[in-house]
Amino acid sequence: MAKLLQPPPKFLPSEWLIANKNQYHRAEAQRSRSERLVAESQRLVDEVDKSTRRSQSDVNKKLEQRLEEIRFWKKELDGKLEQLVHEIEDLLSYKIRLEKALESFKEPLHITERCLEYREKRVGIDLVHDVVEQELLKEAEIIRGVMALLTRTLEETLEQIRLNRSAKYHLEKDLKDKFVALTIDDICFSLNNNSPNIRYSENVMRIEPNSVSLEDWLDFSNTNVEKADKQRNNSLTLKALVDRILSQTASDLRKQCDVVNTAFENGLKETKDARDKLAVHLAKVMEEIASQEKNIAVLEKAILDQEAPAKVAHTRLGTRTHRPNVELCRDMAQYRLIKEVREINHNVASLPCRRRSM
């Protein structure tokens, strides 16, 4: 107990000096270490600041490049969309032209078929398979062929319009997405350290599962552009084809119409010439009939003129049969009377027309 109450030991001045000197050296070492730490910290702060500024500047450049890239593709897509819209409008007008052309061929076909029906009503030898009928049948065949061709071309036009609208839909969708992306990246590019709406966000470092690579992004837009170009080129080819078909079919039909009209004119001329010749022959036949009627009258009169002599000869012969006995002699008068009757009968029989035998 007495030991616990003993006063603390006292040190010598030399010990005190040594202890103060050691404390000073330790403090000096800590101060030097602190100064080095402050300097290193400042260096790191400056380095981090420079790195952050470089990184942010690089990000800004990348965003600016990205904005330019999106603007470029948006301009490309806008141009292709404008061209495709123009082609769709053109094809719609071509569709109307084809529909009107199809409708316009119905009446010529109806007229041709009516002509063929009317010509079937010809009778006798006039129901001939002549050049007119051949050309009418050819005209009907040409019109039906043209209508079939126009129908197929119209179907191709409708299909091309559908393909153009499909390509237009993909262009519009791509443009809509690029407009949103351009707006978002433009906002990101405008942000700086003093912007009021900057904040920390959770899970921003993750890669979205539905994200695509830059190559896929380029391929997607490039594919849409290539599809648009392909459909535009197909539309241009189809329009040129429609122009040729409409021009050629109209020309073919006009030529065939001229051929049919010429055939009709020639046929009418031949028919009229045949009718005129028949009329001339009919007049001659009628004259001949009148002449024959006069001749018949002359012959009948000639025959009638022979009746009296014939009756006289018959009466004489009949009367002479009543001669008695030996007087019923075949004398010269008897023979001459018989010869006279025969001559009269022969003369009457030799006439072209006779009433009866004597």
Side-chain angles (χ1 to χ4, degrees):
M1 186 69 181
K3 289 182 178 181
L4 291 175
L5 295 176
Q6 289 179 359
K10 291 184 178 182
F11 298 96
L12 295 175
S14 59
E15 292 177 336
W16 178 81
L17 288 174
I18 292 171
N20 284 337
K21 190 176 181 180
N22 290 335
Q23 185 68 29
Y24 171 77
H25 285 306
R26 284 194 299 271
E28 183 64 20
Q30 293 297 327
R31 187 186 64 79
S32 297
R33 190 180 297 112
S34 176
E35 286 179 352
R36 289 195 301 272
L37 181 61
V38 169
E40 180 67 17
S41 297
Q42 187 60 46
R43 186 188 66 78
L44 290 173
V45 168
D46 292 342
E47 185 177 337
V48 167
D49 183 64
K50 289 180 181 179
S51 176
T52 302
R53 289 179 184 276
R54 284 196 304 269
S55 178
Q56 195 173 71
S57 176
D58 187 55
V59 169
N60 286 337
K61 288 181 181 179
K62 292 293 189 291
L63 283 172
E64 187 176 10
Q65 291 173 358
R66 181 60 176 169
L67 286 170
E68 290 300 320
E69 196 171 19
I70 294 175
R71 289 192 185 100
F72 168 78
W73 279 106
K74 184 175 180 297
K75 184 178 179 181
E76 284 290 309
L77 294 171
D78 277 328
K80 300 303 177 183
L81 179 61
E82 183 179 356
Q83 292 175 351
L84 208 54
V85 168
H86 177 70
E87 291 303 324
I88 291 173
E89 292 175 352
D90 274 358
L91 283 180
L92 288 173
S93 66
Y94 273 73
K95 179 180 79 74
I96 294 173
R97 287 177 61 191
L98 287 169
E99 290 172 343
K100 288 183 177 179
L102 266 173
E103 187 66 26
S104 68
F105 281 115
K106 290 181 180 179
E107 185 62 22
L109 179 60
H110 177 68
I111 292 173
T112 302
E113 290 174 343
R114 288 292 298 276
C115 286
L116 288 169
E117 290 176 4
Y118 281 133
R119 298 190 94 245
E120 288 298 319
K121 297 179 181 179
R122 294 172 296 168
V123 295
I125 194 63
D126 287 324
L127 188 61
V128 61
H129 184 60
D130 54 5
V131 176
V132 175
E133 184 171 351
Q134 293 172 10
E135 294 301 334
L136 282 172
L137 290 172
K138 184 178 179 181
E139 184 178 51
E141 182 181 358
I142 290 175
I143 295 175
R144 293 189 186 99
V146 167
M147 293 181 72
L149 177 61
L150 291 178
T151 301
R152 290 195 302 271
T153 307
L154 179 59
E155 291 173 354
E156 291 178 7
T157 303
L158 291 173
E159 177 62 16
Q160 188 58 52
I161 290 173
R162 186 192 68 80
L163 293 173
N164 286 1
R165 284 173 173 168
S166 175
K168 174 176 172 286
Y169 167 78
H170 287 95
L171 286 176
E172 288 174 338
K173 188 175 183 300
D174 197 2
L175 275 169
K176 182 180 177 182
D177 292 344
K178 280 184 172 43
F179 176 78
V180 174
L182 188 65
T183 302
I184 292 173
D185 281 348
D186 193 42
I187 292 173
C188 292
F189 180 71
S190 67
L191 291 176
N192 56 58
N193 297 335
N194 298 320
S195 298
N197 295 324
I198 56 176
R199 64 188 182 281
Y200 286 108
S201 300
E202 295 181 359
N203 298 325
V204 293
M205 300 291 292
R206 71 183 186 277
I207 297 178
E208 297 293 338
N210 59 341
S211 63
V212 298
S213 66
L214 180 60
E215 291 75 14
D216 291 337
W217 179 82
L218 288 171
D219 288 342
F220 181 79
S221 294
N222 191 51
T223 299
N224 287 334
V225 169
E226 288 178 352
K227 286 181 178 178
D229 282 336
K230 178 182 178 181
Q231 299 309 327
R232 178 173 177 269
N233 291 333
N234 290 343
S235 297
L236 292 173
T237 302
L238 181 60
K239 288 193 298 183
L241 175 64
V242 171
D243 285 333
R244 287 197 303 271
I245 288 175
L246 290 176
S247 175
Q248 188 62 46
T249 53
S251 175
D252 291 345
L253 190 59
R254 280 195 299 270
K255 289 179 181 177
Q256 184 59 30
C257 182
D258 292 340
V259 171
V260 171
N261 289 337
T262 301
F264 264 117
E265 291 173 359
N266 293 336
L268 288 171
K269 185 177 181 300
E270 290 177 359
T271 303
K272 186 175 179 299
D273 290 344
R275 186 201 62 185
D276 293 342
K277 289 180 181 179
L278 288 174
V280 171
H281 283 293
L282 178 61
K284 292 180 179 179
V285 169
M286 294 302 294
E287 290 178 1
E288 192 62 29
I289 289 173
S291 175
Q292 289 296 331
E293 287 178 347
K294 291 180 180 178
N295 185 45
I296 290 171
V298 170
L299 291 173
E300 288 180 344
K301 184 177 182 301
I303 293 171
L304 186 62
D305 290 343
Q306 295 298 317
E307 286 186 356
K311 288 179 180 180
V312 171
H314 276 266
T315 302
R316 286 175 175 174
L317 284 172
T319 303
R320 296 191 86 233
T321 58
H322 298 292
R323 289 177 296 166
N325 300 320
V326 74
E327 293 302 324
L328 189 60
C329 178
R330 295 188 298 275
D331 52 13
M332 294 301 296
Q334 184 71 17
Y335 285 116
R336 189 65 185 88
L337 282 171
I338 293 173
K339 184 178 180 182
E340 181 185 18
V341 171
R342 288 175 179 171
E343 288 176 353
I344 291 174
N345 288 337
H346 174 74
N347 291 336
V348 171
S350 65
L351 294 174
C353 179
R354 55 193 179 87
R355 288 182 178 178
R356 59 181 181 274
S357 297
M358 299 299 171

